[in-house]
Every structure is written in structure tokens, then in C-alpha cells.
Amino acid sequence: MTDSSGSPRLQVMRAVEDGWNAFTKSPWPFVLFVLLFWVLSAIFQAIANVVVVFAGNTSTTVQIIGLVVSWLGSTIISLWGVTGLIRGAWKALDGEKPNFSELIRLDGGAAGRLFINQLVLALILGIIVSLSLVISGQVAQLNEALVFIPAITAAVVFIYLAVNQKFLPWIALIQDGNPFDTIQSGRSGVDPSWWSVVLLLIIEALILLVGLLLCCVGLLAAFPVVICISTAAYRQIFGSEDSTGFLS
């Protein structure tokens, strides 16, 4: 298993092996939890679909309420699913066998931290995109041949941030600090292993693709496997100290 000291460099294949071993310790709670997550997510998505289909036959107030309920429910379910899977993966990496009750436990404080950190990151990415569009518009007025330069620059920055914020959910749940501390911690931790994290993302994408090709049923296992692998990778880079009490 990964040690608790942390490492400045990511060993990708070690993370894959540790993550797989963690999943196989107790696969059925993970699979059942993902299935429950899918069902609940589908219910709230169905609410939004119903609102759209019957938009012409319902009042604006009803439509707004339906869409708000759908968005709020989907957001809560997403936060609950991520926190549950990370908690289960962490315990499995510690040599325990996480049970279903541990996975489904809702931690409001942890979910709130995760939501705020994801919101701040989304706002930063949104600002980058907006600035790119504004600069592109200004450049286009000067020389249309240069219009793509700001967009390409923004894309490079976007990709860079997407990679070095790979572990933002783990940092938000397990480390103390405000959202900007979280983003800075992700950058400083991942930068020395940036290309290794890219390789990790590719491997995880391939695992999810295999699960998708297995009539989507394989995703029930592929998704928690990827979470376990990412958790093992996080522990290599950042260590296994729980400074927020998330695992207590």
C-alpha cells in the first residue's frame, strides 16, 4: 500500500496497482453504491426532462421550481457520491474493507467544502475563457490572422489547470485551507509530476472506456476503480494525513 510520508514524484503504475488492490478488497459495496448513485442521479435528471417536455403546459413558476429541484438534487447527489467513494477508497487503501453504510454516509461539512472549492475553480476557468473571448475580439479588429492566438493560449492554460487540479476533491475533503490554498496546493503538488499525472489521466480514461464498451455495466466497477487509483496517487504526492477529520 502507499505509505503516509508522501512523495514529490508520482509512480503511476504503483498507484494503478494499489488502487486495483484496494477495490478488490470489497468490490460489491463500491458497485452497489455507484448503482444507487446512478439511480438517484437519473431521477433528478428526469425531473428536468419532464419540465422541458411539458414547458408549454405549465406555468413559469412551476418550471423554475422543477429546474431548481433538479439542479439542487443533482448537485447534492454528485457531492455525496464523490465524498462516499473517496472515503471508501481511502479506507480500502488503509487495508480495511469499507462497508455500504460507510459509503452512503452524508458528511455535510465535507460536501460543502468540496462544493465551494469546485465553484471557485469553475469561476477561475470561466474568467480565463471570458478573457480569451474578449481579447480575441479585440485582436480580430486589428488582424484576423491573429485571432486564434488568445484562444490557443487560453486552451493551454485551461489544460494546465485541469491537470494540476486533478486532486482538488481530495485536497478539499482532507486538507485544511480556503479554496485558493487548495488550488495552490494542487499546483505545487502536481507540477513536479505533471506529465505523470497526464499519463494517469490517460490510463483512467482507458479504464472508463473499457467499462463503457461493456454495455455501460462495466462502469459500475470502472468508476470506483478509477477513484481508488486516484486516491492512491493522491497519497503518494500529498501523504495520508487527514487534517479535517473527514475519515473519523
Side-chain angles (χ1 to χ4, degrees):
M1 289 298 151
T2 52
D3 59 37
S4 60
S5 60
S7 170
R9 298 286 180 177
L10 172 62
Q11 302 174 44
V12 176
M13 297 316 298
R14 179 184 171 192
V16 173
E17 181 182 356
D18 285 354
W20 172 253
N21 289 337
F23 170 76
T24 56
K25 286 185 179 300
S26 188
W28 286 111
F30 282 116
V31 170
L32 291 175
F33 180 73
V34 172
L35 179 60
L36 177 61
F37 169 77
W38 282 3
V39 170
L40 294 176
S41 297
I43 290 173
F44 287 104
Q45 182 58 50
I47 293 174
N49 293 339
V50 169
V51 171
V52 171
V53 170
F54 294 98
N57 300 323
T58 56
S59 66
T60 302
T61 302
V62 172
Q63 293 175 35
I64 292 174
I65 292 175
L67 292 174
V68 169
V69 169
S70 174
W71 175 82
L72 185 61
S74 297
T75 301
I76 292 173
I77 293 302
S78 176
L79 295 170
W80 167 74
V82 172
T83 56
L85 285 173
I86 291 178
R87 183 187 301 112
W90 196 281
K91 289 183 175 295
L93 285 162
D94 279 338
E96 303 177 32
K97 292 185 176 181
N99 55 52
F100 190 69
S101 62
E102 290 176 322
L103 294 175
I104 64 174
R105 177 167 59 87
L106 178 62
D107 185 335
R113 291 196 305 274
L114 179 57
F115 175 75
I116 292 172
N117 279 273
Q118 289 180 329
L119 180 61
V120 170
L121 180 60
L123 289 174
I124 291 174
L125 295 176
I127 291 171
I128 292 173
V129 173
S130 299
L131 287 175
S132 172
L133 293 174
V134 171
I135 295 174
S136 294
Q138 296 297 320
V139 170
Q141 295 178 5
L142 300 175
N143 190 333
E144 292 186 359
L146 302 177
V147 70
F148 294 108
I149 293 179
I152 293 173
T153 302
V156 171
V157 174
F158 192 95
I159 293 171
Y160 169 73
L161 285 175
V163 173
N164 71 27
Q165 297 307 310
K166 151 76 173 171
F167 299 105
L168 182 140
W170 287 262
I171 300 173
L173 293 173
I174 297 167
Q175 296 185 21
D176 285 321
N178 60 54
F180 296 101
D181 291 333
T182 299
I183 293 172
Q184 173 59 25
S185 179
R187 187 199 64 78
S188 60
V190 169
D191 273 359
S193 301
W194 196 86
W195 287 107
S196 295
V197 175
V198 171
L199 176 59
L200 177 71
L201 286 167
I202 293 172
I203 292 174
E204 290 179 342
L206 290 174
I207 292 172
L208 293 173
L209 178 61
V210 171
L212 182 64
L213 293 176
L214 295 175
C215 301
C216 294
V217 176
L219 287 174
L220 291 172
F223 193 63
V225 166
V226 165
I227 295 295
C228 288
I229 291 173
S230 291
T231 304
Y234 168 89
R235 286 160 62 111
Q236 282 189 33
I237 297 174
F238 298 95
S240 58
E241 180 183 358
D242 174 21
S243 58
T244 63
F246 171 67
L247 302 166
S248 62

